[in-house]
Amino acid sequence: MLDGRAAATTPPKSNWAIPLVCPPYYAFPVTCGITFTFGGLHADTHGQVLHETGEPIPGLFVCGEMLGGLFSGNYPGGTGLTSGAVFGRRAGSLA
């Protein structure tokens, strides 16, 4: 529910913005992080891990950030979680 509290800034900020009026103030360095690697286990479309020969390894499945071969160089935000959900469901149905 909107409560009328908004910062008078450009660009406009959150409706629930609260001004910082009482020190002390603290600053923390922030750096980027890697959400997953671009490497990982090679799998088929069902999430079954493939041996070097290309054959599925019985009973071994992969999903999420451990699944390789989906991205190269960059990726759209949220796709790591999406891949985990999609391949997790596919692999889970076979496991």
Side-chain angles (χ1 to χ4, degrees):
M1 176 177 203
L2 299 178
D3 60 9
R5 297 179 73 177
T9 62
T10 302
K13 301 293 182 187
S14 166
N15 186 62
W16 292 277
I18 299 172
L20 298 172
V21 294
C22 298
Y25 303 110
Y26 300 96
F28 299 93
V30 177
T31 60
C32 66
I34 298 174
T35 56
F36 59 88
T37 66
F38 289 105
L41 298 173
H42 190 199
D44 63 13
T45 58
H46 300 288
Q48 293 178 286
V49 176
L50 301 177
H51 190 273
E52 292 172 344
T53 62
E55 295 298 314
I57 299 173
L60 187 58
F61 299 90
V62 65
C63 66
E65 72 276 0
M66 297 305 298
L67 176 61
L70 292 178
F71 307 103
S72 175
N74 208 344
Y75 61 93
T79 54
L81 294 173
T82 302
S83 127
V86 170
F87 282 93
R89 172 117 167 67
R90 293 180 70 90
S93 69
L94 294 176

